[in-house]
Amino acid sequence: MSYPVGQVAGFAGVTVRTLHHYDEIGLLVPGERSAAGHRRYGDADLDRLQRILFYRELGFPLDEIAALLDDPDADPRAHLRRQHDLLTARIEQLRQMAEAVEHAMEARRMGIDLTPEERFEVFGDKDPGRYAEEAERRWGGTEAYAESQRRAARYTKADWQRMKAEADDWGARYAALVTAAEPPGGARAMDLAEEHRRHISVWFYDCPYETHRCLGGMYAADERFQAFYDAMAPGLAEHLREAIEANAARHAG
């Protein structure tokens, strides 16, 4: 059984361009080619891709990953133990980061001042106020920003709690989808991307598809947003970006 490059990209939650690059540098050369010369990936290729993505998630450079995977003296069990230890530490770090950021977001939304200790826990030696100032600089002159400010000013504590409950429920369902390796271009992922867009429209400002696509790009590119979404499930930020793109394309037709 072998699979085309597009299907493998969907399985793994990466782009076709990434797989082409891995082939070009010899990191993941597909074991088969179709009669027309198209890449075909077998089970052994998928196993290798899974190991590559493990190490990429942990921050290993591609040349080091290649050396690890191609070492004839490497002990596969030792690799797995190391992967497990590193992933466990990374998961705990991201869980703590997400919890701290969520606490900060909720406190600021409700107008509750964080203590200096809490600010330092979340932001280190960087002033958290600069993020609000950055948002105002980037979007302060837009109608979307003004509308978001108007709506937020009217919300009660109960409103914020209901909004958070909706967001948490969406996050749990999206994390389950990513964990199940469902492709970002699949119907469920696109439906959840649409739900995400509507949540923004209901609670903050009208969010047309082009705006939503810009937000998706920011989630994947900005390390703060990426850390927030990836704490729900590794790779979720990029998966969501692709699902937002696919959903926008679906509705454009």
Side-chain angles (χ1 to χ4, degrees):
M1 186 70 179
S2 63
Y3 307 89
V5 64
Q7 192 170 4
V8 173
F11 289 160
V14 298
T15 64
V16 169
R17 183 178 179 182
T18 294
L19 294 178
H20 286 177
H21 179 60
Y22 289 172
D23 184 8
E24 290 164 2
I25 65 174
L27 180 60
L28 180 65
V29 179
E32 301 177 26
R33 294 273 178 171
S34 69
H38 299 304
R39 297 169 175 84
R40 302 284 302 187
Y41 293 79
D43 290 339
D45 300 322
L46 296 182
D47 287 342
R48 183 178 175 91
L49 176 58
Q50 184 181 43
R51 293 195 294 273
I52 290 169
L53 296 179
F54 263 125
Y55 284 116
R56 284 298 289 157
E57 177 64 25
L58 295 170
F60 282 69
L62 295 181
D63 56 350
E64 189 171 341
I65 294 173
L68 286 167
L69 296 184
D70 296 332
D71 181 359
D73 298 322
D75 179 357
R77 290 173 298 180
H79 279 319
L80 287 173
R81 282 194 298 271
R82 177 165 57 180
Q83 287 175 348
H84 182 271
D85 291 344
L86 291 171
L87 282 171
T88 300
R90 177 75 176 278
I91 288 168
E92 177 60 20
Q93 180 185 32
L94 288 174
R95 186 195 65 77
Q96 292 177 2
M97 183 187 302
E99 185 176 293
V101 170
E102 182 179 346
H103 173 61
M105 290 168 61
E106 184 173 4
R108 288 176 66 80
R109 284 170 177 168
M110 294 181 182
I112 302 170
D113 290 333
L114 296 177
T115 67
E117 291 79 12
E118 288 172 324
R119 287 199 299 270
F120 187 84
E121 177 186 356
V122 177
F123 301 105
D125 61 353
K126 296 182 173 57
D127 178 10
R130 75 183 182 89
Y131 299 118
E133 293 169 3
E134 176 187 342
E136 186 170 4
R137 282 198 305 269
R138 293 175 66 178
W139 301 297
T142 67
E143 178 55 29
Y145 182 87
E147 179 61 19
S148 177
Q149 294 293 97
R150 284 193 294 268
R151 294 189 195 184
R154 297 195 301 266
Y155 292 152
T156 65
K157 182 176 180 179
D159 290 326
W160 290 115
Q161 289 173 331
R162 184 159 62 92
M163 180 199 303
K164 181 177 180 298
E166 291 177 6
D168 288 347
D169 177 66
W170 175 90
R173 286 182 287 125
Y174 205 102
L177 181 146
V178 172
T179 302
E182 294 197 28
R188 287 190 62 212
M190 289 192 292
D191 288 346
L192 282 173
E194 176 64 10
E195 185 176 330
H196 182 274
R197 187 188 69 83
R198 290 178 179 173
H199 180 85
I200 294 171
S201 294
V202 168
W203 288 102
F204 296 104
Y205 53 84
D206 181 51
C207 184
Y209 292 103
E210 190 57 36
T211 300
H212 201 211
R213 292 175 67 184
C214 292
L215 290 174
M218 183 173 64
Y219 298 156
D222 188 304
E223 62 183 9
R224 291 163 295 181
F225 283 101
Q226 186 181 59
F228 176 79
Y229 281 105
D230 284 358
M232 300 177 189
L236 192 148
E238 175 61 22
H239 193 285
L240 176 59
R241 184 195 68 77
E242 294 185 31
I244 287 173
E245 289 282 350
N247 183 58
R250 173 177 63 166
H251 285 274

